[in-house]
Amino acid sequence: IQLRGVIALRDIPKGEPIIEIPYEMAIDLGRESSDPTLPATSFLQKYCVWKSDSDGPPSDKERGDYFAMLPEYLSSDCLGSTDFFSDEALEMLQSPLIKEETLSRKDLVHLRYERDVETMAEMSSNLYRWSEEEVATESHLQWASWIITSRVLTVQGPPESGIANRLLIPLIDMCNHDRDSPHILTGRAMTGATLKVVAGVDVKAGDAINISYGGSVEGNDRFIQDYGFLDGGGSKERGKSEVAEAYKIVARKLTGRNRALTKLTVDDQERALEALKATTLEEDEEMLNSGKITNNDERAAIEFRIGMKKALAGLL
């Protein structure tokens, strides 16, 4: 069994760095944007150089130890994301908003693959070479896009530059998620800078070093799409509430009670709420416990809609 995570090897006082990574060791994939497929093509090209041992910059091959730690193509990590759900599992989410965004992301991957990866691979036999026999496929680019979405951190550039870059940061991107994590991420995307995780509390040897994905404000609609898991609750809330905050965040969004700057339209709210009425909570729980649902993506879909129905019940 392969487990991802970071553990403290010694006691670390509050305020001291837990992890320090020079900026030069990170993979800088360029400016922040809403389209993960662009940095994904750059990452995929670097990964292919290492994986196939093809011609390429020596710096890409030197990152082999880091690339070897990333979730493998079609591993259980990436298969938890809706990007890899079957059509049946997408329907079982009872979330038209997640389904539509997932299909839109797949369309972006398809267009990017045709425009950039496939075209460049035809021009040069060394580009995007997944193995000696195989050129990277559209599915490989889908995996690379998930790597970007799930592991990249957006880091501010030099002071007063007003820019932010997408970085893959070794070791820091191995930290697991805890929305209640007290630890602080700091640093800048610039030459000579250091990217750090700073202890927000005293850390004991053997403690897991977790960070908060999504700034503690994202809900399970994002986690199941972007990361491939459902947030069952932060370390401070576990065991105290039947419904995790990550479901409550989505429920408040669907009922117009969230304080986020970006709000759903009334039409989207109504469509999302109506879709969840296709089955009852009792029917969902019976289906999940029946033993008939064996595919992981379908089980995750049912778990998501169960959590949503419980969260909504607590609001209504």
Side-chain angles (χ1 to χ4, degrees), residues 84-92 99 103 106 297-298:
F84 297 90
F85 274 26
S86 67
D87 292 342
E88 292 77 12
L90 280 178
E91 290 292 342
M92 291 172 73
K99 177 183 174 181
L103 295 178
K106 289 184 176 182
D297 56 352
E298 294 179 358

Side-chain angles (χ1 to χ4, degrees), residues 195-215:
L195 307 162
K196 303 177 184 179
V197 176
V198 178
V201 294
D202 290 341
V203 175
K204 299 295 184 183
D207 286 352
I209 306 303
N210 300 327
I211 59 177
S212 176
Y213 298 0

Side-chain angles (χ1 to χ4, degrees), residues 60-131:
D60 291 344
K61 295 184 178 182
E62 292 169 0
R63 297 184 186 276
D65 289 342
Y66 172 64
F67 287 149
M69 292 193 301
L70 294 175
E72 295 181 355
Y73 170 64
L74 295 187
S75 65
S76 58
D77 282 317
C78 69
L79 293 180
S81 164
T82 57
D83 288 341
F84 297 90
F85 274 26
S86 67
D87 292 342
E88 292 77 12
L90 280 178
E91 290 292 342
M92 291 172 73
L93 285 164
Q94 295 181 351
S95 174
L97 304 184
I98 292 179
K99 177 183 174 181
E100 289 163 9
E101 183 176 340
T102 297
L103 295 178
S104 177
R105 282 157 52 140
K106 289 184 176 182
D107 287 342
L108 284 175
V109 169
H110 176 71
L111 292 172
R112 182 71 65 182
Y113 182 80
E114 284 191 334
R115 183 170 61 242
D116 293 351
V117 178
E118 191 172 41
T119 301
M120 295 301 294
E122 289 173 353
M123 293 173 59
S124 173
S125 59
N126 285 324
L127 288 175
Y128 299 106
R129 178 65 55 183
W130 187 259
S131 66

Side-chain angles (χ1 to χ4, degrees), residues 34-35 67-68 70 78 82 98 101 124 128 133 142 164 192-193 214 225 250 258 273 290-291 299 305:
S34 59
D35 181 2
F67 287 149
L70 294 175
C78 69
T82 57
I98 292 179
E101 183 176 340
S124 173
Y128 299 106
E133 302 80 19
Q142 185 80 66
Q225 290 182 84
V250 189
N258 64 315
L273 292 172
S290 68
R299 291 188 62 83
R305 73 196 204 202

Side-chain angles (χ1 to χ4, degrees), residues 45-46 49 54-62:
Q45 186 173 346
K46 295 175 184 294
V49 168
S54 55
D55 293 338
S59 59
D60 291 344
K61 295 184 178 182
E62 292 169 0

Side-chain angles (χ1 to χ4, degrees), residues 12-314:
I12 303 171
K14 177 181 178 180
E16 286 198 5
I18 302 172
I19 304 172
E20 294 184 272
I21 303 294
Y23 164 72
E24 288 76 12
M25 289 186 64
I27 299 178
D28 192 328
L29 296 167
R31 301 285 181 87
E32 168 70 355
S33 73
S34 59
D35 181 2
T37 65
L38 181 57
T41 58
S42 176
F43 162 73
L44 183 60
Q45 186 173 346
K46 295 175 184 294
Y47 188 88
C48 284
V49 168
W50 164 74
K51 188 177 186 301
S52 65
D53 197 26
S54 55
D55 293 338
S59 59
D60 291 344
K61 295 184 178 182
E62 292 169 0
R63 297 184 186 276
D65 289 342
Y66 172 64
F67 287 149
M69 292 193 301
L70 294 175
E72 295 181 355
Y73 170 64
L74 295 187
S75 65
S76 58
D77 282 317
C78 69
L79 293 180
S81 164
T82 57
D83 288 341
F84 297 90
F85 274 26
S86 67
D87 292 342
E88 292 77 12
L90 280 178
E91 290 292 342
M92 291 172 73
L93 285 164
Q94 295 181 351
S95 174
L97 304 184
I98 292 179
K99 177 183 174 181
E100 289 163 9
E101 183 176 340
T102 297
L103 295 178
S104 177
R105 282 157 52 140
K106 289 184 176 182
D107 287 342
L108 284 175
V109 169
H110 176 71
L111 292 172
R112 182 71 65 182
Y113 182 80
E114 284 191 334
R115 183 170 61 242
D116 293 351
V117 178
E118 191 172 41
T119 301
M120 295 301 294
E122 289 173 353
M123 293 173 59
S124 173
S125 59
N126 285 324
L127 288 175
Y128 299 106
R129 178 65 55 183
W130 187 259
S131 66
E132 290 186 6
E133 302 80 19
E134 183 183 15
V135 172
T137 65
E138 186 174 321
S139 183
H140 291 128
L141 181 59
Q142 185 80 66
W143 165 79
S145 295
W146 172 78
I147 288 286
I148 299 303
T149 304
S150 65
R151 301 181 77 91
V152 156
L153 291 172
T154 299
V155 180
Q156 295 297 314
E160 301 179 1
S161 68
I163 64 172
N165 285 20
R166 292 183 167 196
L167 306 184
L168 283 168
I169 311 173
L171 198 57
I172 291 181
D173 70 1
M174 292 287 290
C175 293
N176 287 320
H177 167 68
D178 177 1
R179 69 171 50 251
D180 294 324
S181 172
H183 305 316
I184 302 164
L185 279 70
T186 184
R188 288 190 176 273
M190 55 184 287
T191 302
T194 303
L195 307 162
K196 303 177 184 179
V197 176
V198 178
V201 294
D202 290 341
V203 175
K204 299 295 184 183
D207 286 352
I209 306 303
N210 300 327
I211 59 177
S212 176
Y213 298 0
S216 300
V217 297
E218 299 292 2
N220 272 333
D221 54 343
R222 293 258 52 94
F223 283 108
I224 198 168
Q225 290 182 84
D226 298 343
Y227 301 101
F229 66 85
L230 292 168
D231 181 0
S235 55
K236 293 181 180 179
E237 66 171 309
R238 289 173 196 153
K240 297 180 180 179
S241 174
E242 183 184 6
V243 183
E245 178 65 19
Y247 288 112
K248 295 177 182 178
I249 288 172
V250 189
R252 290 193 289 268
K253 188 188 304 183
L254 297 186
T255 55
R257 304 183 189 186
N258 64 315
R259 297 179 180 178
L261 294 177
T262 303
K263 298 181 181 294
L264 296 176
T265 65
V266 173
D267 179 62
D268 281 344
Q269 290 175 349
E270 291 176 350
R271 289 194 301 122
L273 292 172
E274 186 63 29
L276 286 166
K277 297 177 182 178
T279 55
T280 66
L281 173 60
E282 292 73 20
E283 290 170 337
D284 292 344
E285 291 179 327
E286 182 179 353
M287 183 182 301
L288 187 65
N289 297 324
S290 68
K292 297 178 181 179
I293 308 300
T294 57
N295 293 330
N296 289 336
D297 56 352
E298 294 179 358
R299 291 188 62 83
I302 297 174
E303 288 174 4
F304 172 80
R305 73 196 204 202
I306 286 175
M308 286 307 310
K309 289 171 188 179
K310 288 182 177 180
L312 287 166

